[in-house]
């Protein structure tokens, strides 16, 4: 097996997603935080980049969903942040 650039990019994405989940479970990060959604989205995006070179439909589908859900989380966190700034 040859370890190529896209493998490294995909593995970095996996580390981001798993590391973020670990921080959540250790209560070092909140699931509603902006950083949680950004790190998850970045991880999914990096895995998607790796899939451009070694495509797998099942992985592609789950990473598209992971990225979309992260986008929803980012939008919610930004909305909460704007509301908190407006309130005080």
């Amino acid at each position: 097996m040859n370890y190529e650039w896209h493998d490294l990019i995909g593995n970095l994405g996996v580390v981001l997603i798993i590391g973020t989940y670990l921080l959540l479970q250790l209560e070092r990060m909140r699931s509603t935080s902006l950083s949680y959604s950004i790190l998850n989205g970045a991880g999914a995006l990096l895995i998607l980049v790796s899939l451009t070179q070694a495509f797998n439909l099942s992985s592609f589908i789950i990473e598209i969903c992971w990225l979309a859900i992260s986008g929803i989380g980012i939008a919610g966190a930004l909305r909460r942040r704007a509301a908190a700034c407006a309130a005080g």
Side-chain angles (χ1 to χ4, degrees), residues 52-64:
T52 64
Q53 302 300 309
F55 188 75
N56 177 299
L57 181 59
S58 298
S59 295
F60 178 78
I61 291 169
I62 197 165
E63 295 311 324
I64 288 292

Side-chain angles (χ1 to χ4, degrees), residues 20-39:
T20 303
Y21 187 58
L22 175 62
L23 291 173
L24 178 70
Q25 295 304 312
L26 295 174
E27 297 181 359
R28 301 278 189 171
M29 185 174 281
R30 295 179 55 146
S31 63
T32 55
S33 71
L34 181 59
S35 57
Y36 179 79
S37 293
I38 288 174
L39 289 170

